[in-house]
Amino acid sequence: MKSARLLLALAVTAIGCSNDDGGGVGPDPLVISTPFDLTSMGRGPVPDRFTAELWVNGSTAYTTTWGTRTVNDVQARGNAVKIWDVSSATPVLVDSLIIEGATTLGDIQATADGKYLIVATESAGSIVIYDLQNPRRPALVTRFSNSDIDKGVHTAEVQPVGNKLYAFLCIDPRGSDKARLVIVDITDPSAPAMVFSQIMGTPFVHDVFVRDGILMTALWNDGIAIFDIGGGGRGGSVANPVQMGTAPIVGGKAHNIFWFRDQVTGIKRFAFVGEEGPGSIPSSSVGDVHVIDVTDMTNPREVAFYNVPGAGVHNFSADEERGILYAAYYNGGVRALSIRGDLGTCTADQKSSDGRCDLRKMNRELAKGPVGLSFPVYVWGVHFTDGKLYASDMLNGLFRLSTVPAF
Amino acid sequence: MQRLVFRVHFRVIAIAAMFIAARAQSQDPHAGHDMPADSAHGPVVAAGANGILLGTIASPGVNNRTLAEGYLTQPMVMAMLTSRGGHFVADLTLNFEGTSLKRGELNAGVHGEGYIDRRHPHTLVHELVGTGLFAAGPARLSITAGKGFVPFGTDDPMSRPFVKYPVNHHLAQLLERALISGAVASGPLLLEAALFNGDEPQDPYDLPNYDRIGDSWSARLTARGKGLEVQGSYAKVESPEHASGGGLDDRKLSASARYESNGRYALAEWARTEEGEGSATSFTFRSLLAEGSVDIGRVTVAVRGERSERPEHERGLNPFRTPQPHADLSIIGRTRWDILSASIAAPLPSYRKLRFSSFVEVSTQKPTSLTNPSVFIPEDFYGASRLWSFSFGARVGVGMKHKRMGRYGVAVSNKMEAPMAGMDMHHDMR
């Protein structure tokens, strides 16, 4: 595997040196350029509730629920975690959890070692931690909240920093209480401890991305901010993040962020920011993917974007081996973008009027789906893992989608 | 402890306000009338208090359940100080719904400030403004500053025939803002303009965000004469839903014709609110409303028809509440409300200075989803496609009567005799 990566890296480097096509998809065999379809391989229906967040842990998937759905005069709240067997192409519902006092479950993620599941709750804000010794039967470890959190946990990102495990929580504004970022040490899952809390974002801090001791925050109209929390060489730590740089997002409304690390070359040049404009759930949406060059973290800058007419982006997941970003696009389904190579350099024809490169004009759009369905979708989230792609659809449940053909 | 201190503080305010009202009423030679008729001989204080004992049955209220509730609604103390010569007027209205109406009042279709299908309580300091009045040749001018009504749209529903609010309250009025406004009247024409803070109150004891004063503006042009009043107005309101800013902005339009004379009253209004960013519009909500009343002997009969649209937002564990502010800029649907209402009101015998009147209101509402697919499907949520509301109760008042709410200074009336003229408090809704 290592030698294969080395060969890929050498090839990418060599082709990258000779590729002067302005960042568009050229002859680079490592840049996926052949369009393909995202077809539904199987669907696990959820008719009783609206489906939202998604996490896949081996052969088990977890989906959260959102808001209130009424079916046959029965109102069901977004207080359920659906547990799926995804060992075959068609997800099979095997169990569910009900979290008391929640109207929406803001986020869900298993730890990288697969031992614990963390669920964020709204509008009574908390995080609920489950033991996954039996992944199909999560066992409650603890539920954590305090006065900084109880307004509602909109998103929760669980990542290790150093030798500790943290949950990075984006807290909803409520009344005169402004949105804030709260970081909780969950190294001991039975005894979470808040280590950082700060008002952030105008008017929201909506999501974060953590990698290699760097914290990136999506701050809505404040754009993004990058913090050293131990890996940036600025003396920052999780308890004392040191801001390294900020960047505005064209149009504002920075909703989520993903920092791409090319698993072949190790290059970490671009971060992708989802813009969430005002839509009408679950019928319309608006918002672009924004590409930020973070080579200089003290001076990040937007260099490219991707737009889908009539639809807006939501959550991301990536195939970092192949350089593909999968983006949930609400009523636009799922889109796959080729993100390897130089996205910030393009021809004049590939630029928008404000000088940014347009990924669509650069032929970076690879796929969309699910194709061939006879009913509308409103895709909230995607998760690519172990070569498989899953999508959570508010209206219809959990999809397993085809991915890029092997190359 | 903090809560206890607040409650004590609140009671002191309430008792003091009632005392002031009673004192002012006893000192006011025009007590029991609508306004001080003449302030040429010195400052005049007029004051009053009122409230409504209300019972409401909503069928269905939610999820096919009939709800029946009782309230003390619109409990208010009002005071008005008019300087010698009438060149300065101060208006104070304290609203105690923060205590009496904390859960909100059943009112299908109404929304705003974190409440839905219940009318939200208004803020304690509902109105505290000072107005200077001047004459400049044929024109009369006034400048108003304080917290109160923005010159936009139509009169506040509190000063109109029905106890139950129309759905279009947040489309057709702007209130409880810190503002500075100017008005100039000449002949039948009146032009008003104001700067104010865009943020809506977060709770009944919230104060305007003073750092946002001036981020929003409005203008209203009115022509009036012989009991008829026609207005058109525009408002640009920055981020009303997100007090810290950064939310969607409102562009609001209103046009109306109002007639009142000899026990007859009629109002027809159109309103439209566009929510968006910059020049881009994300959502549009429209309203058409017509209402009227007529005195038949001692009985007042009123009818109202309304078609208004509202946004839908995710509801909390309490189905009558929505997060405030919302966690993003999206909505979960748009609903059109078609409503027909009728009421009968009649005075009851007074007791000393206390005035009483009784009323009965009946209303039917038909909500229709305007988006498909939609998270909010009215038939599913309410358990019926048509809703009914039945309300009854008694108004209680003392001293100065409920005035027309929403205009200050020379905008209040077209009586041109003196700068002081124009504190028209005649709208006596029984």
PDB file of all heavy atoms in Angstrom, chain A residues 66 70 77 103-104 154 174-175 203-204 206 221 253 278-281, chain B residues 202 242 245-246 277 282-283 314 316-317 323-327 330-332:
ATOM      1  N   TRP A  66     -34.859  14.907  12.996  1.00  0.00           N
ATOM      2  CA  TRP A  66     -34.928  16.376  13.015  1.00  0.00           C
ATOM      3  C   TRP A  66     -36.375  16.846  13.069  1.00  0.00           C
ATOM      4  O   TRP A  66     -37.250  16.277  12.407  1.00  0.00           O
ATOM      5  CB  TRP A  66     -34.261  16.884  11.738  1.00  0.00           C
ATOM      6  CG  TRP A  66     -34.259  18.352  11.525  1.00  0.00           C
ATOM      7  CD1 TRP A  66     -33.264  19.233  11.839  1.00  0.00           C
ATOM      8  CD2 TRP A  66     -35.301  19.123  10.898  1.00  0.00           C
ATOM      9  NE1 TRP A  66     -33.631  20.500  11.459  1.00  0.00           N
ATOM     10  CE2 TRP A  66     -34.871  20.466  10.892  1.00  0.00           C
ATOM     11  CE3 TRP A  66     -36.545  18.794  10.381  1.00  0.00           C
ATOM     12  CZ2 TRP A  66     -35.649  21.486  10.363  1.00  0.00           C
ATOM     13  CZ3 TRP A  66     -37.328  19.819   9.859  1.00  0.00           C
ATOM     14  CH2 TRP A  66     -36.858  21.148   9.854  1.00  0.00           C
ATOM     15  N   THR A  70     -45.427  14.560  11.129  1.00  0.00           N
ATOM     16  CA  THR A  70     -46.722  13.976  11.466  1.00  0.00           C
ATOM     17  C   THR A  70     -47.150  13.042  10.346  1.00  0.00           C
ATOM     18  O   THR A  70     -47.237  13.442   9.187  1.00  0.00           O
ATOM     19  CB  THR A  70     -47.779  15.077  11.652  1.00  0.00           C
ATOM     20  OG1 THR A  70     -47.294  16.017  12.620  1.00  0.00           O
ATOM     21  CG2 THR A  70     -49.088  14.485  12.151  1.00  0.00           C
ATOM     22  N   ARG A  77     -41.044  13.279  17.001  1.00  0.00           N
ATOM     23  CA  ARG A  77     -40.017  14.315  17.138  1.00  0.00           C
ATOM     24  C   ARG A  77     -38.669  13.808  16.630  1.00  0.00           C
ATOM     25  O   ARG A  77     -38.462  12.602  16.470  1.00  0.00           O
ATOM     26  CB  ARG A  77     -39.873  14.707  18.611  1.00  0.00           C
ATOM     27  CG  ARG A  77     -41.101  15.377  19.153  1.00  0.00           C
ATOM     28  CD  ARG A  77     -40.788  16.023  20.491  1.00  0.00           C
ATOM     29  NE  ARG A  77     -41.961  16.656  21.034  1.00  0.00           N
ATOM     30  CZ  ARG A  77     -42.461  17.814  20.605  1.00  0.00           C
ATOM     31  NH1 ARG A  77     -41.853  18.457  19.637  1.00  0.00           N
ATOM     32  NH2 ARG A  77     -43.539  18.329  21.143  1.00  0.00           N
ATOM     33  N   THR A 103     -35.647  17.811  20.653  1.00  0.00           N
ATOM     34  CA  THR A 103     -36.550  17.999  19.522  1.00  0.00           C
ATOM     35  C   THR A 103     -35.830  17.749  18.210  1.00  0.00           C
ATOM     36  O   THR A 103     -36.454  17.448  17.206  1.00  0.00           O
ATOM     37  CB  THR A 103     -37.113  19.425  19.502  1.00  0.00           C
ATOM     38  OG1 THR A 103     -36.024  20.352  19.496  1.00  0.00           O
ATOM     39  CG2 THR A 103     -37.980  19.674  20.720  1.00  0.00           C
ATOM     40  N   THR A 104     -34.532  17.926  18.227  1.00  0.00           N
ATOM     41  CA  THR A 104     -33.690  17.653  17.069  1.00  0.00           C
ATOM     42  C   THR A 104     -32.342  17.160  17.576  1.00  0.00           C
ATOM     43  O   THR A 104     -31.844  17.645  18.603  1.00  0.00           O
ATOM     44  CB  THR A 104     -33.502  18.930  16.224  1.00  0.00           C
ATOM     45  OG1 THR A 104     -34.665  19.137  15.410  1.00  0.00           O
ATOM     46  CG2 THR A 104     -32.300  18.833  15.304  1.00  0.00           C
ATOM     47  N   HIS A 154     -25.642  22.543  18.107  1.00  0.00           N
ATOM     48  CA  HIS A 154     -26.024  22.435  16.701  1.00  0.00           C
ATOM     49  C   HIS A 154     -25.152  21.429  15.968  1.00  0.00           C
ATOM     50  O   HIS A 154     -25.644  20.690  15.121  1.00  0.00           O
ATOM     51  CB  HIS A 154     -25.943  23.805  16.038  1.00  0.00           C
ATOM     52  CG  HIS A 154     -26.759  23.893  14.789  1.00  0.00           C
ATOM     53  ND1 HIS A 154     -28.130  23.824  14.802  1.00  0.00           N
ATOM     54  CD2 HIS A 154     -26.408  24.002  13.484  1.00  0.00           C
ATOM     55  CE1 HIS A 154     -28.592  23.910  13.566  1.00  0.00           C
ATOM     56  NE2 HIS A 154     -27.561  24.007  12.751  1.00  0.00           N
ATOM     57  N   ARG A 174     -29.471  31.918  21.720  1.00  0.00           N
ATOM     58  CA  ARG A 174     -30.834  31.885  22.263  1.00  0.00           C
ATOM     59  C   ARG A 174     -31.117  33.206  22.965  1.00  0.00           C
ATOM     60  O   ARG A 174     -30.376  33.585  23.864  1.00  0.00           O
ATOM     61  CB  ARG A 174     -31.002  30.768  23.287  1.00  0.00           C
ATOM     62  CG  ARG A 174     -31.258  29.420  22.698  1.00  0.00           C
ATOM     63  CD  ARG A 174     -32.650  29.317  22.055  1.00  0.00           C
ATOM     64  NE  ARG A 174     -32.774  28.059  21.349  1.00  0.00           N
ATOM     65  CZ  ARG A 174     -32.396  27.871  20.083  1.00  0.00           C
ATOM     66  NH1 ARG A 174     -31.898  28.866  19.380  1.00  0.00           N
ATOM     67  NH2 ARG A 174     -32.531  26.703  19.512  1.00  0.00           N
ATOM     68  N   GLY A 175     -32.183  33.862  22.548  1.00  0.00           N
ATOM     69  CA  GLY A 175     -32.505  35.140  23.151  1.00  0.00           C
ATOM     70  C   GLY A 175     -31.318  36.074  23.046  1.00  0.00           C
ATOM     71  O   GLY A 175     -30.768  36.293  21.973  1.00  0.00           O
ATOM     72  N   PRO A 203     -24.198  35.509  12.779  1.00  0.00           N
ATOM     73  CA  PRO A 203     -24.668  35.334  14.151  1.00  0.00           C
ATOM     74  C   PRO A 203     -24.415  33.929  14.702  1.00  0.00           C
ATOM     75  O   PRO A 203     -24.808  33.655  15.821  1.00  0.00           O
ATOM     76  CB  PRO A 203     -26.187  35.564  14.005  1.00  0.00           C
ATOM     77  CG  PRO A 203     -26.495  35.097  12.622  1.00  0.00           C
ATOM     78  CD  PRO A 203     -25.273  35.345  11.789  1.00  0.00           C
ATOM     79  N   PHE A 204     -23.758  33.062  13.912  1.00  0.00           N
ATOM     80  CA  PHE A 204     -23.533  31.698  14.389  1.00  0.00           C
ATOM     81  C   PHE A 204     -22.066  31.283  14.235  1.00  0.00           C
ATOM     82  O   PHE A 204     -21.390  31.731  13.318  1.00  0.00           O
ATOM     83  CB  PHE A 204     -24.326  30.665  13.568  1.00  0.00           C
ATOM     84  CG  PHE A 204     -25.732  31.041  13.250  1.00  0.00           C
ATOM     85  CD1 PHE A 204     -26.122  31.313  11.946  1.00  0.00           C
ATOM     86  CD2 PHE A 204     -26.694  31.107  14.235  1.00  0.00           C
ATOM     87  CE1 PHE A 204     -27.430  31.634  11.627  1.00  0.00           C
ATOM     88  CE2 PHE A 204     -28.001  31.440  13.938  1.00  0.00           C
ATOM     89  CZ  PHE A 204     -28.372  31.708  12.635  1.00  0.00           C
ATOM     90  N   HIS A 206     -21.153  27.692  13.259  1.00  0.00           N
ATOM     91  CA  HIS A 206     -22.069  26.638  12.831  1.00  0.00           C
ATOM     92  C   HIS A 206     -21.428  25.267  12.761  1.00  0.00           C
ATOM     93  O   HIS A 206     -22.089  24.240  12.881  1.00  0.00           O
ATOM     94  CB  HIS A 206     -22.656  27.006  11.468  1.00  0.00           C
ATOM     95  CG  HIS A 206     -24.097  26.659  11.329  1.00  0.00           C
ATOM     96  ND1 HIS A 206     -24.538  25.420  10.971  1.00  0.00           N
ATOM     97  CD2 HIS A 206     -25.203  27.407  11.531  1.00  0.00           C
ATOM     98  CE1 HIS A 206     -25.851  25.409  10.944  1.00  0.00           C
ATOM     99  NE2 HIS A 206     -26.290  26.597  11.289  1.00  0.00           N
ATOM    100  N   ASN A 221     -21.466  34.854   8.795  1.00  0.00           N
ATOM    101  CA  ASN A 221     -21.105  36.076   8.066  1.00  0.00           C
ATOM    102  C   ASN A 221     -19.696  36.570   8.374  1.00  0.00           C
ATOM    103  O   ASN A 221     -19.203  37.479   7.704  1.00  0.00           O
ATOM    104  CB  ASN A 221     -22.121  37.188   8.355  1.00  0.00           C
ATOM    105  CG  ASN A 221     -23.476  36.877   7.749  1.00  0.00           C
ATOM    106  OD1 ASN A 221     -23.589  36.094   6.814  1.00  0.00           O
ATOM    107  ND2 ASN A 221     -24.520  37.468   8.292  1.00  0.00           N
ATOM    108  N   LYS A 253     -22.412  33.434   5.265  1.00  0.00           N
ATOM    109  CA  LYS A 253     -23.173  32.223   5.606  1.00  0.00           C
ATOM    110  C   LYS A 253     -22.313  30.956   5.578  1.00  0.00           C
ATOM    111  O   LYS A 253     -22.718  29.904   5.075  1.00  0.00           O
ATOM    112  CB  LYS A 253     -24.389  32.076   4.709  1.00  0.00           C
ATOM    113  CG  LYS A 253     -25.319  33.293   4.752  1.00  0.00           C
ATOM    114  CD  LYS A 253     -26.489  33.164   3.831  1.00  0.00           C
ATOM    115  CE  LYS A 253     -26.141  33.276   2.379  1.00  0.00           C
ATOM    116  NZ  LYS A 253     -25.634  34.593   1.944  1.00  0.00           N
ATOM    117  N   PRO A 278     -30.670  30.968   2.683  1.00  0.00           N
ATOM    118  CA  PRO A 278     -32.028  30.770   3.178  1.00  0.00           C
ATOM    119  C   PRO A 278     -32.860  29.933   2.218  1.00  0.00           C
ATOM    120  O   PRO A 278     -33.162  30.371   1.121  1.00  0.00           O
ATOM    121  CB  PRO A 278     -32.575  32.202   3.288  1.00  0.00           C
ATOM    122  CG  PRO A 278     -31.729  33.016   2.366  1.00  0.00           C
ATOM    123  CD  PRO A 278     -30.412  32.346   2.238  1.00  0.00           C
ATOM    124  N   GLY A 279     -33.195  28.758   2.636  1.00  0.00           N
ATOM    125  CA  GLY A 279     -34.028  27.877   1.830  1.00  0.00           C
ATOM    126  C   GLY A 279     -35.310  27.555   2.553  1.00  0.00           C
ATOM    127  O   GLY A 279     -35.540  28.004   3.687  1.00  0.00           O
ATOM    128  N   SER A 280     -36.141  26.798   1.891  1.00  0.00           N
ATOM    129  CA  SER A 280     -37.379  26.343   2.506  1.00  0.00           C
ATOM    130  C   SER A 280     -37.312  24.819   2.588  1.00  0.00           C
ATOM    131  O   SER A 280     -37.493  24.129   1.581  1.00  0.00           O
ATOM    132  CB  SER A 280     -38.587  26.796   1.676  1.00  0.00           C
ATOM    133  OG  SER A 280     -39.784  26.408   2.318  1.00  0.00           O
ATOM    134  N   ILE A 281     -37.024  24.351   3.782  1.00  0.00           N
ATOM    135  CA  ILE A 281     -36.872  22.916   4.003  1.00  0.00           C
ATOM    136  C   ILE A 281     -38.243  22.267   3.927  1.00  0.00           C
ATOM    137  O   ILE A 281     -39.166  22.743   4.571  1.00  0.00           O
ATOM    138  CB  ILE A 281     -36.240  22.663   5.386  1.00  0.00           C
ATOM    139  CG1 ILE A 281     -34.839  23.298   5.466  1.00  0.00           C
ATOM    140  CG2 ILE A 281     -36.171  21.188   5.725  1.00  0.00           C
ATOM    141  CD1 ILE A 281     -34.257  23.306   6.858  1.00  0.00           C
TER     142      ILE A 281
ATOM    143  N   GLN B 202     -36.534  40.317  22.456  1.00  0.00           N
ATOM    144  CA  GLN B 202     -36.235  38.910  22.725  1.00  0.00           C
ATOM    145  C   GLN B 202     -37.136  38.331  23.811  1.00  0.00           C
ATOM    146  O   GLN B 202     -37.324  37.137  23.901  1.00  0.00           O
ATOM    147  CB  GLN B 202     -34.775  38.749  23.144  1.00  0.00           C
ATOM    148  CG  GLN B 202     -33.787  39.275  22.119  1.00  0.00           C
ATOM    149  CD  GLN B 202     -33.791  38.459  20.851  1.00  0.00           C
ATOM    150  OE1 GLN B 202     -33.502  37.266  20.885  1.00  0.00           O
ATOM    151  NE2 GLN B 202     -34.144  39.078  19.728  1.00  0.00           N
ATOM    152  N   HIS B 242     -32.615  38.288  14.289  1.00  0.00           N
ATOM    153  CA  HIS B 242     -31.337  38.046  14.978  1.00  0.00           C
ATOM    154  C   HIS B 242     -30.886  39.351  15.610  1.00  0.00           C
ATOM    155  O   HIS B 242     -30.404  40.249  14.930  1.00  0.00           O
ATOM    156  CB  HIS B 242     -30.280  37.537  13.998  1.00  0.00           C
ATOM    157  CG  HIS B 242     -30.567  36.150  13.505  1.00  0.00           C
ATOM    158  ND1 HIS B 242     -30.083  35.021  14.125  1.00  0.00           N
ATOM    159  CD2 HIS B 242     -31.332  35.716  12.488  1.00  0.00           C
ATOM    160  CE1 HIS B 242     -30.521  33.945  13.507  1.00  0.00           C
ATOM    161  NE2 HIS B 242     -31.285  34.345  12.507  1.00  0.00           N
ATOM    162  N   GLY B 245     -27.624  40.835  14.901  1.00  0.00           N
ATOM    163  CA  GLY B 245     -27.371  41.164  13.508  1.00  0.00           C
ATOM    164  C   GLY B 245     -27.000  39.915  12.717  1.00  0.00           C
ATOM    165  O   GLY B 245     -26.791  38.836  13.276  1.00  0.00           O
ATOM    166  N   GLY B 246     -26.938  40.076  11.414  1.00  0.00           N
ATOM    167  CA  GLY B 246     -26.501  38.977  10.562  1.00  0.00           C
ATOM    168  C   GLY B 246     -27.609  38.117  10.016  1.00  0.00           C
ATOM    169  O   GLY B 246     -27.349  37.214   9.226  1.00  0.00           O
ATOM    170  N   GLU B 277     -31.345  39.255   1.505  1.00  0.00           N
ATOM    171  CA  GLU B 277     -30.052  39.888   1.746  1.00  0.00           C
ATOM    172  C   GLU B 277     -29.770  40.825   0.588  1.00  0.00           C
ATOM    173  O   GLU B 277     -29.895  40.400  -0.564  1.00  0.00           O
ATOM    174  CB  GLU B 277     -28.943  38.852   1.811  1.00  0.00           C
ATOM    175  CG  GLU B 277     -29.182  37.744   2.781  1.00  0.00           C
ATOM    176  CD  GLU B 277     -28.245  36.589   2.505  1.00  0.00           C
ATOM    177  OE1 GLU B 277     -28.546  35.790   1.614  1.00  0.00           O
ATOM    178  OE2 GLU B 277     -27.216  36.512   3.171  1.00  0.00           O
ATOM    179  N   SER B 282     -35.372  36.262  -0.503  1.00  0.00           N
ATOM    180  CA  SER B 282     -35.447  34.829  -0.207  1.00  0.00           C
ATOM    181  C   SER B 282     -36.889  34.373  -0.005  1.00  0.00           C
ATOM    182  O   SER B 282     -37.284  33.316  -0.502  1.00  0.00           O
ATOM    183  CB  SER B 282     -34.630  34.513   1.048  1.00  0.00           C
ATOM    184  OG  SER B 282     -33.292  34.905   0.889  1.00  0.00           O
ATOM    185  N   PHE B 283     -37.642  35.151   0.722  1.00  0.00           N
ATOM    186  CA  PHE B 283     -39.028  34.779   1.013  1.00  0.00           C
ATOM    187  C   PHE B 283     -39.908  36.022   0.913  1.00  0.00           C
ATOM    188  O   PHE B 283     -39.481  37.117   1.270  1.00  0.00           O
ATOM    189  CB  PHE B 283     -39.168  34.201   2.421  1.00  0.00           C
ATOM    190  CG  PHE B 283     -38.144  33.149   2.753  1.00  0.00           C
ATOM    191  CD1 PHE B 283     -37.194  33.390   3.730  1.00  0.00           C
ATOM    192  CD2 PHE B 283     -38.120  31.942   2.080  1.00  0.00           C
ATOM    193  CE1 PHE B 283     -36.241  32.436   4.042  1.00  0.00           C
ATOM    194  CE2 PHE B 283     -37.176  30.974   2.378  1.00  0.00           C
ATOM    195  CZ  PHE B 283     -36.235  31.220   3.362  1.00  0.00           C
ATOM    196  N   GLU B 314     -39.163  25.481  12.813  1.00  0.00           N
ATOM    197  CA  GLU B 314     -39.134  24.303  13.663  1.00  0.00           C
ATOM    198  C   GLU B 314     -39.688  24.670  15.042  1.00  0.00           C
ATOM    199  O   GLU B 314     -39.369  25.714  15.592  1.00  0.00           O
ATOM    200  CB  GLU B 314     -37.679  23.837  13.788  1.00  0.00           C
ATOM    201  CG  GLU B 314     -37.496  22.516  14.476  1.00  0.00           C
ATOM    202  CD  GLU B 314     -36.028  22.124  14.581  1.00  0.00           C
ATOM    203  OE1 GLU B 314     -35.178  22.856  14.028  1.00  0.00           O
ATOM    204  OE2 GLU B 314     -35.742  21.102  15.221  1.00  0.00           O
ATOM    205  N   GLY B 316     -40.478  23.787  19.192  1.00  0.00           N
ATOM    206  CA  GLY B 316     -39.790  23.139  20.294  1.00  0.00           C
ATOM    207  C   GLY B 316     -40.649  22.065  20.933  1.00  0.00           C
ATOM    208  O   GLY B 316     -41.661  21.618  20.370  1.00  0.00           O
ATOM    209  N   LEU B 317     -40.266  21.645  22.125  1.00  0.00           N
ATOM    210  CA  LEU B 317     -41.078  20.668  22.859  1.00  0.00           C
ATOM    211  C   LEU B 317     -42.466  21.241  23.094  1.00  0.00           C
ATOM    212  O   LEU B 317     -43.455  20.522  23.097  1.00  0.00           O
ATOM    213  CB  LEU B 317     -40.410  20.325  24.189  1.00  0.00           C
ATOM    214  CG  LEU B 317     -39.203  19.374  24.117  1.00  0.00           C
ATOM    215  CD1 LEU B 317     -38.544  19.255  25.470  1.00  0.00           C
ATOM    216  CD2 LEU B 317     -39.605  18.017  23.583  1.00  0.00           C
ATOM    217  N   PRO B 323     -37.611  28.285  18.311  1.00  0.00           N
ATOM    218  CA  PRO B 323     -36.351  28.837  18.808  1.00  0.00           C
ATOM    219  C   PRO B 323     -36.194  30.291  18.370  1.00  0.00           C
ATOM    220  O   PRO B 323     -36.549  30.646  17.251  1.00  0.00           O
ATOM    221  CB  PRO B 323     -35.287  27.960  18.153  1.00  0.00           C
ATOM    222  CG  PRO B 323     -35.995  26.702  17.787  1.00  0.00           C
ATOM    223  CD  PRO B 323     -37.395  27.102  17.462  1.00  0.00           C
ATOM    224  N   GLN B 324     -35.677  31.094  19.264  1.00  0.00           N
ATOM    225  CA  GLN B 324     -35.454  32.495  18.923  1.00  0.00           C
ATOM    226  C   GLN B 324     -34.078  32.918  19.408  1.00  0.00           C
ATOM    227  O   GLN B 324     -33.840  32.896  20.609  1.00  0.00           O
ATOM    228  CB  GLN B 324     -36.511  33.380  19.564  1.00  0.00           C
ATOM    229  CG  GLN B 324     -36.423  34.814  19.112  1.00  0.00           C
ATOM    230  CD  GLN B 324     -37.201  35.756  19.993  1.00  0.00           C
ATOM    231  OE1 GLN B 324     -37.304  35.524  21.192  1.00  0.00           O
ATOM    232  NE2 GLN B 324     -37.717  36.825  19.437  1.00  0.00           N
ATOM    233  N   PRO B 325     -33.161  33.260  18.514  1.00  0.00           N
ATOM    234  CA  PRO B 325     -33.334  33.233  17.064  1.00  0.00           C
ATOM    235  C   PRO B 325     -33.213  31.810  16.528  1.00  0.00           C
ATOM    236  O   PRO B 325     -32.835  30.899  17.266  1.00  0.00           O
ATOM    237  CB  PRO B 325     -32.180  34.091  16.569  1.00  0.00           C
ATOM    238  CG  PRO B 325     -31.093  33.865  17.575  1.00  0.00           C
ATOM    239  CD  PRO B 325     -31.814  33.740  18.889  1.00  0.00           C
ATOM    240  N   HIS B 326     -33.507  31.648  15.275  1.00  0.00           N
ATOM    241  CA  HIS B 326     -33.395  30.340  14.647  1.00  0.00           C
ATOM    242  C   HIS B 326     -31.924  30.013  14.406  1.00  0.00           C
ATOM    243  O   HIS B 326     -31.085  30.898  14.364  1.00  0.00           O
ATOM    244  CB  HIS B 326     -34.161  30.336  13.326  1.00  0.00           C
ATOM    245  CG  HIS B 326     -35.513  30.965  13.448  1.00  0.00           C
ATOM    246  ND1 HIS B 326     -36.478  30.458  14.281  1.00  0.00           N
ATOM    247  CD2 HIS B 326     -36.056  32.076  12.902  1.00  0.00           C
ATOM    248  CE1 HIS B 326     -37.554  31.225  14.223  1.00  0.00           C
ATOM    249  NE2 HIS B 326     -37.325  32.219  13.404  1.00  0.00           N
ATOM    250  N   ALA B 327     -31.666  28.716  14.251  1.00  0.00           N
ATOM    251  CA  ALA B 327     -30.268  28.281  14.150  1.00  0.00           C
ATOM    252  C   ALA B 327     -29.686  28.471  12.754  1.00  0.00           C
ATOM    253  O   ALA B 327     -28.511  28.225  12.534  1.00  0.00           O
ATOM    254  CB  ALA B 327     -30.160  26.812  14.562  1.00  0.00           C
ATOM    255  N   SER B 330     -33.026  29.340   7.239  1.00  0.00           N
ATOM    256  CA  SER B 330     -34.051  28.638   6.473  1.00  0.00           C
ATOM    257  C   SER B 330     -35.382  28.631   7.210  1.00  0.00           C
ATOM    258  O   SER B 330     -35.454  28.827   8.421  1.00  0.00           O
ATOM    259  CB  SER B 330     -33.604  27.199   6.205  1.00  0.00           C
ATOM    260  OG  SER B 330     -32.482  27.194   5.357  1.00  0.00           O
ATOM    261  N   ILE B 331     -36.415  28.378   6.455  1.00  0.00           N
ATOM    262  CA  ILE B 331     -37.736  28.164   7.024  1.00  0.00           C
ATOM    263  C   ILE B 331     -38.176  26.747   6.653  1.00  0.00           C
ATOM    264  O   ILE B 331     -37.512  26.076   5.856  1.00  0.00           O
ATOM    265  CB  ILE B 331     -38.758  29.196   6.514  1.00  0.00           C
ATOM    266  CG1 ILE B 331     -38.922  29.103   4.989  1.00  0.00           C
ATOM    267  CG2 ILE B 331     -38.324  30.607   6.903  1.00  0.00           C
ATOM    268  CD1 ILE B 331     -40.009  30.003   4.420  1.00  0.00           C
ATOM    269  N   ILE B 332     -39.244  26.278   7.241  1.00  0.00           N
ATOM    270  CA  ILE B 332     -39.690  24.925   6.915  1.00  0.00           C
ATOM    271  C   ILE B 332     -41.047  24.957   6.208  1.00  0.00           C
ATOM    272  O   ILE B 332     -41.760  23.969   6.193  1.00  0.00           O
ATOM    273  CB  ILE B 332     -39.742  24.031   8.159  1.00  0.00           C
ATOM    274  CG1 ILE B 332     -40.771  24.550   9.178  1.00  0.00           C
ATOM    275  CG2 ILE B 332     -38.374  23.913   8.791  1.00  0.00           C
ATOM    276  CD1 ILE B 332     -41.035  23.573  10.308  1.00  0.00           C
TER     277      ILE B 332
END
